[in-house]
Amino acid sequence: MIEPHATKVLVIGYVWPEPRSSAASGHVMQILEVLLQQGWDITFSSPAGFGEQRADLTAMGIHEVPIELNNSSFDAFISELAPDIVLFDQFMMEEQFGWRVEKHCPDALRVLESCDLQSLRHGRHQRLKVRLKGSEDNNDFSDLFAQAAREEFEYMADTDLAKREIASFYRCDLTLMVSEVEIELLVEQFRIARNLLHWCPLMVDLPTGAPAAYEDRAHFLHIGNFRHAPNWDAVLWLKTAIWPLVREQLPGAQLHIYGAYTPPKATALHNPAQGFHVMNWAEDALQVMSSARVCMAPLRFGAGIKGKIVDAMLCGTPNVTTPVGAEAMHGDEAWPGAVTCSAREFANQAVQLHNDKTRWLDAQTHAHTLLARRYQKSVHGPALIQRLVECQRDLANIRRDNFTGSMLRHHQHKSTQYMAQWIEVKNRTHTT
């Protein structure tokens, strides 16, 4: 057994975590908390600037060390730190720093945290764009949501993004996946060995108190970071198609839309006369979710699993979403609300949940059951630690058996190394 104090972890973040702004950052924070509970020594580094709502990692006992892209100062930093595990947050960080990690800390376990399969999300976005241009009926997306895994693969396979992303998965010793659907896509279609993947969904503690009562709640709610393209598209679909249908049935209905980094194009949609309120960023997302009667998540594309829906379940707030929103989130469990494919049905289901207390309470019960069976940190946290320890013990065999990854590292890292060194020299010359 590896002693907890002996394990040193370096996390290389695409951004500094902002758990109140995005589910991706929330998942990173959950992983950090699990590692801290194990007593491991954690350093978090990122080449990104500090965001408005970044978490105070130092207060948690995590060391913060900013790093630079294409700069050999990272080599000295990681050599001195000598981590046992390096966790890359999103594949772009593995592309940038993976070769340096391998060169200076070859025995460190290299782990990739994939908040979602980005090439899948991108492929679905492109299909939606084609669908919106090529069909007169832009409110029923049953055909779009019915894509088989092979069709998803065929749409992704020729894209540069998929080749970069999947190559990064191969180069790492282990990749953390939030979605079982994406694991099956990678294994069955991209032929990635299953032992290189680990299911690690959003991890939460079950609520201990009773949620706010039906009678104490009001209005509909949508929440999501506006920098995330699926959320902006959902707001547009709400505005143009779904919300007018809700107001036909509930003329006094109010929809509150919250999101970090609200752009002018979003605030321009604010229209109190239509009950359509763009509220900007929520100081406490769980508080506003607990006050709402129904959460609306009309996602027409996307990947991974949805933090806003987990938050809704934590608050006992029934939700209406699409097959994309519900994907990989409930297994065989009943959905805590409704899953629909068209604007008309979405509006009908939202109104029914809003008005029918019995159905609303049933959905709330389903939410509690679903959280308990699929998202408990007390289950997934120890499973993650166990998997990391097992991979450390068996690292030589994992790398020997993953010849494709070894081959990709040999070729890609050489080219990345030379490009990074050229950029560094160019930057040094420019500054002098």
Side-chain angles (χ1 to χ4, degrees):
M1 176 68 182
I2 296 175
E3 295 297 330
H5 67 269
T7 300
K8 190 180 293 184
V9 182
L10 170 64
V11 181
I12 303 178
Y14 181 68
V15 296
W16 297 93
E18 295 188 15
R20 295 188 297 173
S21 298
S22 75
S25 282
H27 192 235
V28 170
M29 292 297 292
Q30 291 164 4
I31 293 172
L32 292 176
E33 289 166 2
V34 167
L35 301 182
L36 283 173
Q37 290 170 2
Q38 192 68 11
W40 291 358
D41 184 10
I42 306 172
T43 299
F44 194 101
S45 294
S46 177
F50 292 142
E52 297 174 8
Q53 308 297 335
R54 77 183 185 97
D56 187 353
L57 299 181
T58 57
M60 300 169 60
I62 297 173
H63 313 290
E64 293 185 348
V65 181
I67 52 178
E68 295 183 41
L69 298 172
N70 305 308
N71 194 309
S72 57
S73 61
F74 180 85
D75 302 345
F77 159 65
I78 195 169
S79 296
E80 181 178 355
L81 183 66
D84 303 292
I85 300 173
V86 177
L87 175 65
F88 302 101
D89 170 31
Q90 301 193 32
F91 79 89
M92 296 83 78
M93 293 299 94
E94 187 278 332
E95 283 185 329
Q96 288 287 339
F97 296 99
W99 68 271
R100 295 184 186 273
V101 171
E102 182 172 18
K103 180 178 180 180
H104 297 285
C105 297
D107 295 329
L109 180 70
R110 296 185 290 269
V111 182
L112 176 62
E113 198 282 314
S114 173
C115 59
D116 66 4
L117 194 53
Q118 295 187 35
S119 50
L120 175 61
R121 168 163 43 90
H122 177 77
R124 287 172 169 174
H125 194 183
Q126 299 310 306
R127 286 204 309 275
L128 174 64
K129 290 178 179 178
V130 172
R131 171 72 164 73
L132 292 175
K133 290 180 180 179
S135 173
E136 295 182 0
D137 180 9
N138 288 329
N139 288 315
D140 188 340
F141 295 91
S142 302
D143 56 339
L144 196 68
F145 296 137
Q147 298 290 319
R150 186 64 189 178
E151 293 174 294
E152 302 270 27
F153 168 76
E154 290 172 354
Y155 211 93
M156 296 165 62
D158 290 333
T159 66
D160 289 342
L161 182 59
K163 291 171 184 175
R164 290 173 55 201
E165 186 173 29
I166 304 305
S168 181
F169 289 6
Y170 270 111
R171 288 193 298 265
C172 290
D173 303 311
L174 184 69
T175 295
L176 310 183
M177 304 293 300
V178 299
S179 166
E180 294 165 304
V181 170
E182 292 173 12
I183 288 177
E184 294 307 312
L185 179 65
L186 291 171
V187 171
E188 298 298 329
Q189 303 300 327
F190 288 94
R191 305 303 182 190
I192 291 182
R194 192 177 295 273
N195 72 303
L196 295 178
L197 308 172
H198 176 74
W199 181 47
C200 182
L202 297 178
M203 300 178 284
V204 300
D205 296 316
L206 295 181
T208 54
Y214 174 86
E215 292 81 8
D216 296 332
R217 297 172 180 248
H219 312 315
F220 297 86
L221 174 115
H222 171 81
I223 192 166
N225 189 323
F226 281 104
R227 288 181 175 175
H228 192 51
N231 292 332
W232 171 239
D233 178 75
V235 170
L236 290 177
W237 197 27
L238 276 168
K239 175 70 173 182
T240 59
I242 296 171
W243 189 243
L245 296 173
V246 171
R247 292 274 288 192
E248 283 182 5
Q249 301 179 61
L250 295 174
Q254 304 291 309
L255 170 61
H256 294 170
I257 296 175
Y258 292 89
Y261 301 103
T262 310
K265 63 182 180 181
T267 55
L269 301 179
H270 180 72
N271 191 325
Q274 297 175 353
F276 198 92
H277 302 269
V278 179
M279 311 292 286
N280 297 317
W281 182 71
E283 181 72 27
D284 186 338
L286 295 181
Q287 188 278 322
V288 298
M289 185 70 78
S290 295
S291 300
R293 188 170 288 181
V294 177
C295 172
M296 304 174 80
L299 298 162
R300 291 189 287 191
F301 71 98
I305 59 177
K306 312 306 178 292
K308 62 177 68 64
I309 293 178
V310 171
D311 284 349
M313 291 190 284
L314 285 169
C315 297
T317 307
N319 77 86
V320 185
T321 190
T322 64
V324 167
E327 182 178 87
M329 292 206 65
H330 63 114
D332 296 328
E333 304 298 327
W335 187 253
V339 180
T340 70
C341 296
S342 70
R344 173 64 68 182
E345 185 60 18
F346 197 106
N348 290 345
Q349 293 292 337
V351 170
Q352 289 177 29
L353 274 170
H354 182 276
N355 291 347
D356 187 337
K357 181 179 178 180
T358 299
R359 186 180 171 195
W360 190 90
L361 290 172
D362 286 343
Q364 193 175 79
T365 299
H366 295 326
H368 184 80
T369 301
L370 184 50
L371 285 174
R373 293 183 178 174
R374 287 183 66 89
Y375 296 100
Q376 285 200 71
K377 185 187 293 183
S378 60
V379 173
H380 294 288
L384 173 60
I385 295 298
Q386 180 180 351
R387 187 65 184 277
L388 293 175
V389 171
E390 289 174 351
C391 286
Q392 285 182 289
R393 288 174 174 166
D394 200 33
L395 187 55
N397 290 329
I398 290 171
R399 290 181 176 173
R400 183 198 62 219
D401 293 342
N402 181 20
F403 180 78
T404 299
S406 176
M407 179 175 59
L408 288 169
R409 287 198 309 273
H410 174 78
H411 291 287
Q412 195 271 350
H413 284 176
K414 288 295 183 184
S415 62
T416 302
Q417 174 182 347
Y418 297 143
M419 177 61 73
Q421 291 172 340
W422 179 82
I423 293 173
E424 182 176 6
V425 171
K426 183 172 180 288
N427 290 340
R428 191 182 305 129
T429 303
H430 179 72
T431 56
T432 57

